[in-house]
Amino acid sequence: MDLTIRPRRLRSSEALRKMVRETRMDPASLIYPMFVMDGTNRVEEIESLPGQNRYTVDRMDEELDRLAAAGVQNVMLFGIPEAKDEAGSQAYAEDGVVQRALGHMKEHYPQIYRITDVCMCEYTSHGHCGVLCGQDVDNDKTLELLSRTALSHVEAGSQMVAPSDMMDGRIAAIRKRLDETGHTNIPIMSYAVKFASAFYGPFREAAGSAPAFGDRKSYQMDFHNRREALKEALLDAEEGADILMVKPAMAYLDLVREVKDLTNLPLATYSVSGEYAMVKAAAQNDWINEEKIVCEMAASAFRAGADIYITYYAKELAQYMKDGKIG
Ligand code: PBG
């Protein structure tokens, strides 16, 4: 055959494949989501997320040690309070669970970078991401509580805040509050493009944060929409977001690429609980090779344009990267 161009030439050995590889990954771009709960001396397995646990602050070290050993440098905290109320007051309580966890990490694991999810849904008795006005979430009243929560996290030791509520104007409101209080150097990672997704199911069980009535469709995005995703991303960039996020990851990689090309901000994508749970369930049945699937999913997120990958598989991925099993 008279073939001048033979793409297979560059695939003929492992050395060559690695030489021409287009996507290179590093554990520094991984963030591990971690659940901390009120109480003492308890570690609870999360049924919907096999291999993931909820930790009381005095038992966090077990997980933090594993993360440090695996080379995971970034943790994003989610709080599970004992008491919930209409206004989600434990979200911004000085002695709230996330605030105490931050103090503990700051003192004992200063090398781990501390990010906090800012939202009300784990803290409100009705499970919605803000304060209610009738059956609806009151956008502007919620902004005050989110800003207060973000500030309280930062005062307790958070190094980056990540609002996940999808209220309008929250990036501007949080930026203003942080700047007024002298925290001009604390970055905001915005869950800018966050869809109303069934992929969050296992998380809501883990955090006890399912809405008591209705759904989140009046604030999270309709998953049929692409231009609206770009609108949200641009708006958050204008309001002062330092990093944008697309969430979930796997079913939204088209938007990871588009948002990446749209702005010059670093881009994160969150491989959410449902993605993890699906892989785990299939792997437990021996239907798929877990390690290979996890590597392929991560590579696809970075290839699509993500700079940062938030995943419950952060420890495993960091290890695979170190072992050369993935880019
Ligand atoms: C809080 C929040 C959620 C997730 C991250 N922050 C749940 C939700 O919006 O219902 C989902 C994370 C996951 O599924 O892993 N608003």
Side-chain angles (χ1 to χ4, degrees):
M1 268 291 257
D2 186 17
L3 277 178
T4 319
I5 298 171
R6 289 181 181 269
R8 288 186 55 189
R9 253 180 233 132
L10 292 180
R11 298 182 204 131
S12 60
S13 73
E14 179 72 2
L16 201 43
R17 287 192 293 271
K18 280 196 171 157
M19 190 197 295
V20 299
R21 185 167 274 173
E22 298 174 42
T23 305
R24 309 254 179 205
M25 287 160 277
D26 188 282
S29 24
L30 300 172
I31 299 177
Y32 180 69
M34 182 169 174
F35 298 96
V36 289
M37 65 179 169
D38 269 332
T40 51
N41 196 24
R42 274 187 305 138
V43 177
E44 284 176 8
E45 287 175 23
I46 301 170
E47 220 176 298
S48 55
L49 297 172
Q52 305 297 315
N53 304 303
R54 306 178 192 89
Y55 300 88
T56 54
V57 174
D58 57 351
R59 295 284 296 274
M60 287 179 80
D61 292 6
E62 296 168 26
E63 184 61 38
L64 295 170
D65 288 340
R66 283 192 288 267
L67 289 163
V72 177
Q73 299 161 22
N74 313 300
V75 165
M76 179 151 70
L77 292 176
F78 291 91
I80 305 167
E82 222 147 50
K84 304 186 186 219
D85 56 36
E86 290 270 306
S89 58
Q90 281 300 305
Y92 40 88
E94 212 176 303
D95 62 346
V97 59
V98 164
Q99 287 79 356
R100 282 183 288 113
L102 286 165
H104 179 81
M105 286 179 70
K106 192 174 171 180
E107 189 177 338
H108 299 285
Y109 294 84
Q111 76 280 20
I112 296 186
Y113 190 79
R114 302 175 296 276
I115 307 168
T116 49
D117 180 89
V118 174
C119 195
M120 308 308 294
C121 64
E122 297 111 85
Y123 302 92
T124 51
S125 42
H126 44 74
H128 278 286
C129 300
V131 275
L132 292 181
C133 179
Q135 298 283 92
D136 198 24
V137 175
D138 187 318
N139 192 88
D140 299 8
K141 274 194 195 139
T142 300
L143 296 185
E144 165 57 26
L145 298 186
L146 292 168
S147 311
R148 203 164 150 185
T149 302
L151 176 59
S152 132
H153 286 179
V154 170
E155 283 175 341
S158 180
Q159 294 167 289
M160 178 189 289
V161 290
S164 66
D165 51 282
M166 286 300 276
M167 296 303 124
D168 294 334
R170 86 258 215 234
I171 302 302
I174 292 172
R175 184 73 271 158
K176 181 161 176 275
R177 180 68 56 92
L178 293 181
D179 288 354
E180 280 167 1
T181 50
H183 302 292
T184 48
N185 277 329
I186 296 288
I188 301 176
M189 174 163 68
S190 173
Y191 286 70
V193 180
K194 177 172 175 179
F195 289 91
S197 170
F199 282 100
Y200 310 149
F203 173 97
R204 291 181 190 167
E205 195 191 309
S209 64
F213 65 89
D215 51 40
R216 303 208 199 291
K217 289 182 183 167
S218 75
Y219 38 103
Q220 297 179 351
M221 284 180 50
D222 179 348
F223 57 72
H224 302 79
N225 295 353
R226 166 186 162 266
R227 280 181 308 167
E228 190 186 12
L230 307 184
K231 172 176 157 187
E232 283 283 6
L234 286 176
L235 199 53
D236 284 7
E238 256 170 52
E239 287 183 28
D242 299 280
I243 299 174
L244 299 176
M245 190 198 302
V246 172
K247 175 188 173 198
M250 192 166 54
Y252 297 85
L253 294 181
D254 55 331
L255 295 172
V256 170
R257 169 48 60 193
E258 288 209 64
V259 173
K260 182 60 179 284
D261 291 343
L262 186 71
T263 79
N264 293 320
L265 298 182
L267 182 65
T269 191
Y270 192 152
S271 182
V272 298
S273 56
E275 298 178 49
Y276 176 89
M278 289 193 308
V279 174
K280 271 286 171 201
Q284 283 173 349
N285 279 299
D286 268 332
W287 292 338
I288 56 169
N289 179 319
E290 183 178 23
E291 179 180 310
K292 288 184 177 161
I293 294 268
V294 167
C295 289
E296 201 172 322
M297 282 168 66
S300 72
F302 288 108
R303 189 186 64 231
D307 303 293
I308 299 164
Y309 191 49
I310 306 167
T311 170
Y312 301 95
Y313 277 117
K315 290 193 295 285
E316 290 82 352
L317 273 169
Q319 196 61 52
Y320 301 154
M321 288 175 188
K322 281 192 287 186
D323 295 346
K325 289 181 175 150
I326 181 177

